[in-house]
Amino acid sequence: MLAEAREAPAAIARALAADGETLAALGRVLRAEPPSAVLTVARGSSDHAAHFMAYLVMARLGRLVTSLPMSLVTLYSSRLQCDGLLSLAFSQSGQSPDLVAPQRFFRSGGARTVAVVNDPASPLAEAAQWVLPLHAGPERSVAATKSYIAQLVAGARFVAQWQGDATLQSALQVLPEALERAAWADWSPLAETLVDADRLFVIGRGLGLAIAMEAALKFKEVCGIQAEAFSGAEVKHGPMALIDEGYPLLVFAPRGPAQAGLLALADEMRQRGARVLLAAPAGTPGAQLPLIPSASDDLDAITAIQSFYPAVEALARARGLDPDAPRHLSKVTRTH
């Protein structure tokens, strides 16, 4: 897991050098004939990456994006309308039947379909009209790392091309250098603070919520911690009742419109007595986990999760667990 997490910068450099013409063509098609509806098809880490892309689409292009409950197609046989639909499926292996079936259904109904997948020869890729390979290389760790980062980048490249935003495209080109620095950032306080934790909230907002969701999953997968991800706004409703003296929270507060509220939340939770781990740019008051900036605020979540992966791997080992062999899990999950 650790080795693959630190391979991500090189994998992203490979990805950025490939598929430029495919992405540009897809962007031209979507600008010429904008979709009437956009949805994502994904599970697990891939769904978190799809959430990141969806937020970018909504924030930058003003188009609502829906996450598809796959059982509508696979179990309920719903006759969903495909006219004008754009469906984007995210997967590492591209093997799960409940991802493949919706893409086949939507494509046969006339929708435009895209597969963001690490295996371009997979059933999911074959089911889609457009394929955006991740170029992450083989990933043997059960817990996805470099393929998740590659999905985040693929989603950002897709949005940049659809929007025709040269500034975001330029920021993506220099992202591998920021990721390399992020992969070696000192996040040792995370293992020191959470070595005995049995529960945890992971907080983010906006583009950072997708990585909070991913971090919570990794805490469960490799550390055996019951971790839940919440928006910095949502946690102030019902979940707040659980936070008392010593309750651990990891707060992701990268640059951007959501940062001020997240920093205020971290301070409020400290005053309540919670054990707050704040991930924020170096120099931010109270930040123990430094975030490495990218060339765009919209990409800072990607460098943040790059720093998180080695830290959560170290936490698993500090807890006496093997992050390369998480209990009850396998690399490819096939659901229906």
Side-chain angles (χ1 to χ4, degrees):
M1 178 181 176
L2 179 61
E4 289 179 352
R6 287 185 169 148
E7 287 171 10
I12 298 310
R14 286 196 303 272
L16 290 168
D19 307 309
E21 292 184 5
T22 299
L23 278 158
L26 180 55
R28 287 193 296 270
V29 167
L30 294 176
R31 288 195 300 275
E33 299 179 48
S36 59
V38 184
L39 60 78
T40 61
V41 183
R43 289 203 187 280
S45 290
S46 297
D47 191 44
H48 306 153
H51 184 98
F52 177 80
M53 186 277 304
Y55 204 96
L56 276 176
V57 169
M58 290 186 283
R60 286 174 159 263
L61 292 155
R63 296 187 173 274
L64 293 175
V65 183
T66 301
S67 175
L68 176 75
M70 278 82 84
S71 59
L72 285 174
V73 174
T74 61
L75 300 181
Y76 288 84
S77 301
S78 301
R79 306 310 298 174
L80 300 174
Q81 297 298 309
C82 299
D83 293 344
L85 175 67
L86 171 64
S87 175
L88 299 108
F90 286 69
S91 176
Q92 286 128 33
S93 70
Q95 298 291 331
S96 188
D98 63 350
L99 302 182
V100 177
Q103 286 299 79
R104 285 180 175 155
F105 171 81
F106 293 134
R107 186 175 183 181
S108 67
R112 284 171 286 189
T113 53
V114 180
V116 183
V117 64
N118 201 31
D119 182 358
S122 63
L124 182 63
E126 293 171 0
Q129 177 185 8
W130 300 81
V131 180
L132 303 180
L134 299 180
H135 301 285
E139 188 173 58
R140 296 179 178 85
S141 170
V142 173
T145 55
K146 62 179 180 175
S147 62
Y148 174 74
I149 293 173
Q151 286 178 325
L152 295 177
V153 172
R157 292 181 77 195
F158 164 76
V159 173
Q161 288 289 350
W162 182 359
Q163 191 178 17
D165 188 312
T167 300
L168 183 57
Q169 292 172 32
S170 295
L172 281 159
Q173 290 303 312
V174 296
L175 184 60
E177 291 88 338
L179 288 171
E180 185 64 33
R181 295 195 303 275
W184 296 92
D186 180 10
W187 274 41
S188 55
L190 186 137
E192 296 164 3
T193 302
L194 300 178
V195 65
D196 296 321
D198 60 0
R199 55 183 182 165
L200 173 70
F201 281 175
V202 187
I203 310 299
R205 198 171 184 189
L207 289 166
L209 182 56
I211 61 165
M213 295 161 62
E214 170 65 6
L217 177 61
K218 289 299 184 286
F219 280 126
K220 289 190 278 277
E221 276 186 316
V222 302
C223 297
I225 298 174
Q226 181 61 52
E228 293 186 77
F230 287 102
S231 158
E234 186 64 32
V235 77
K236 302 203 66 163
H237 293 272
M240 184 73 85
L242 294 175
I243 300 174
D244 53 16
E245 186 70 30
Y247 198 101
L249 290 90
L250 169 57
V251 179
F252 284 99
R255 298 175 303 169
Q259 186 186 57
L262 291 164
L263 296 178
L265 175 68
D267 188 56
E268 180 183 346
M269 293 301 97
R270 284 196 199 94
Q271 293 178 31
R272 183 177 287 222
R275 284 189 292 159
V276 177
L277 281 164
L278 176 61
T284 303
Q288 308 99 312
L289 308 174
L291 295 183
I292 305 301
S294 69
S296 167
D297 292 5
D298 284 351
L299 303 179
D300 281 3
I302 306 179
T303 57
I305 201 67
Q306 174 74 82
S307 294
F308 170 80
Y309 283 142
V312 78
E313 196 270 355
L315 173 61
R317 296 192 183 280
R319 291 166 65 87
L321 300 172
D322 181 358
D324 295 330
R327 294 192 310 159
H328 311 312
L329 298 177
S330 59
K331 182 60 183 170
V332 178
T333 303
R334 292 178 171 87
T335 47
H336 296 269

